[in-house]
Amino acid sequence: MNMRTRILLTIAATATILAGCSNEETNEVIDSWDGEIRLSSELAVQTRTYTPTQGTQIKQGQEVYVWADEAASPTATSYFSAWKLTAGSNGSLTNSSVSQYYPTTGNKLNFYAMHGNFGTSPFSGQNTDFPSSSGITHTVVADQSGTDMTNYAKSDLLYAITKNVQKSSSAVSLTFYHMLSKVEIALLAGDGNPTLTDAVVTILNTKLKATFTPSKTATMDNQSERAGLVTVPTNDNDAAAITVATKIATNNFTDAEYGEAIVVPQEVSAGSDFIKVALASGGPTFTHKISNKLTLASGKVYKYNITVKSTGLSVSSSITDWDATTDTSTGDATMDDPTGDSGSGAGGAS
């Protein structure tokens, strides 16, 4: 092989290598991400035998507001305020008009996000300050019985803190915690086999408004710290009934579904009527009266298995965290006068 042939072969091999590199570069997916902030939501997981509403993600269509601080030294500074997002069907959080972007400084961000029933346009504009000084009023809806559970989801006060987030094209997952209390009720036909279809179930003697004063320094997996962010205002906050979806159990409550209601953490006085079951078609009304003071605590679930007899109610109740059982109790209640709503029942969770 002469010199000229060797030179031509070398040139051909070099061209082939360069062509291969060019093809590889052409086949690469070019990420056109421009620094836009992407968020998603999840909820602190519950260990339950059934999947409750908003048990794993925020219900689609619910609104979430997000604030962010630039985590610069020596102190964090406000980066954006009251960014309004909407929950999607898969835990996504999307904006309707305004996008937010990571800082060009490269500094990390701290995110603070909340969902609640704060009234019409609670945070007017993108410059609304974080409500940490005077707090904000959240109201649970009196009728949470709808099959679409929209009013229930609206009543669920949620809060999330995620800190030191580095700039990334991946969605940042915000872990929300339930800030209020929850009551779950299932009915079972007992002695006399009363008809439970279309019975009306209500929770009595709880106030519907809470003042939420979020903190940017709260340890969110500490229940006592979360509880300290919620108080019950005394003005313009009379107790009112909350209607719960009627769920009828079979097989001694095994794998039962429950009517769910969000309630404000508060104390219910000893001897108070707490749960009312009014049977349909002119049937009797039964009331479960608590014998001891009941403290409804933030982040707790109060589950009631209620056997409806022809003469009254038999109530078994439990109090749980959203991830572990902590207490149980049982009790009985007797039948109301079928012609009225006032009860003489006794017993129950305390």
Side-chain angles (χ1 to χ4, degrees):
M1 181 180 295
N2 58 34
M3 180 65 69
R4 181 173 179 275
T5 301
R6 286 198 296 271
I7 292 172
L8 290 174
L9 288 174
T10 301
I11 293 173
T14 302
T16 300
I17 293 171
L18 291 174
C21 293
S22 177
N23 288 337
E24 289 177 2
E25 292 173 358
T26 301
N27 292 333
E28 285 182 356
V29 177
I30 300 175
D31 189 354
S32 60
W33 177 61
D34 57 359
E36 182 180 358
I37 296 173
R38 300 163 178 170
L39 302 176
S40 65
S41 66
E42 63 180 14
L43 291 168
V45 176
Q46 306 176 37
T47 304
R48 310 300 299 279
T49 57
Y50 77 105
T51 302
T53 307
Q54 290 195 156
T56 57
Q57 66 184 44
I58 300 175
K59 182 176 172 60
Q60 183 176 4
Q62 293 295 303
E63 295 178 351
V64 171
Y65 292 89
V66 182
W67 287 255
D69 288 344
E70 194 170 354
S73 179
T75 58
T77 57
S78 177
Y79 186 64
F80 64 74
S81 298
W83 188 23
K84 182 179 177 180
L85 303 175
T86 302
S89 60
N90 58 353
S92 63
L93 293 173
T94 58
N95 70 82
S96 57
S97 59
V98 179
S99 297
Q100 299 288 354
Y101 298 86
Y102 284 98
T104 56
T105 59
N107 288 333
K108 297 178 181 180
L109 292 179
N110 298 334
F111 293 101
Y112 316 95
M114 64 186 72
H115 161 276
N117 185 22
F118 303 126
T120 305
S121 301
F123 308 111
S124 55
Q126 293 295 119
N127 297 318
T128 305
D129 291 337
F130 187 76
S132 59
S133 56
S134 59
I136 184 170
T137 298
H138 166 86
T139 306
V140 301
V141 182
D143 186 357
Q144 300 182 34
S145 63
T147 56
D148 64 358
M149 300 302 289
T150 297
N151 282 347
Y152 167 90
K154 186 178 181 180
S155 301
D156 196 3
L157 178 60
L158 304 170
Y159 186 45
I161 297 177
T162 302
K163 290 188 173 182
N164 295 313
V165 176
Q166 185 68 56
K167 179 178 179 180
S168 172
S169 60
S170 299
V172 178
S173 181
L174 305 176
T175 300
F176 288 84
Y177 285 82
H178 301 271
M179 304 301 294
L180 302 186
S181 308
K182 180 180 178 181
V183 174
E184 298 176 339
I185 301 170
L187 306 181
L188 178 70
D191 295 345
N193 196 30
T195 300
L196 302 182
T197 303
D198 296 326
V200 177
V201 181
T202 51
I203 297 168
L204 307 174
N205 288 309
T206 65
K207 298 180 178 181
L208 305 186
K209 294 181 181 180
T211 299
F212 177 48
T213 309
S215 166
K216 292 182 177 181
T217 60
T219 303
M220 291 305 294
D221 59 2
N222 184 312
Q223 186 198 356
S224 62
E225 287 196 36
R226 297 197 309 270
L229 306 181
V230 179
T231 57
V232 184
T234 56
N235 295 331
D236 188 28
N237 197 19
D238 293 336
I242 298 174
T243 308
V244 185
T246 301
K247 296 293 184 178
I248 302 172
T250 59
N251 193 26
N252 199 29
F253 299 101
T254 302
D255 298 326
E257 292 188 2
Y258 290 82
E260 305 170 86
I262 299 294
V263 296
V264 173
Q266 60 195 280
E267 289 187 353
V268 183
S269 301
S272 297
D273 295 338
F274 187 57
I275 297 175
K276 183 173 70 175
V277 180
L279 301 187
S281 302
T285 294
F286 306 91
T287 298
H288 168 59
K289 187 187 296 290
I290 56 174
S291 56
N292 301 311
K293 178 181 70 176
L294 173 61
T295 301
L296 299 168
S298 170
K300 297 286 187 178
V301 179
Y302 299 78
K303 182 167 69 175
Y304 290 83
N305 292 339
I306 299 180
T307 301
V308 183
K309 308 173 185 179
S310 58
T311 56
L313 306 177
S314 177
V315 179
S316 174
S317 63
S318 62
I319 305 171
T320 68
D321 286 330
W322 259 295
D323 59 356
T325 300
T326 58
D327 185 37
T328 61
S329 61
T330 60
D332 290 302
T334 56
M335 183 179 69
D336 286 348
D337 180 350
T339 62
D341 288 337
S342 60
S344 56
S350 57

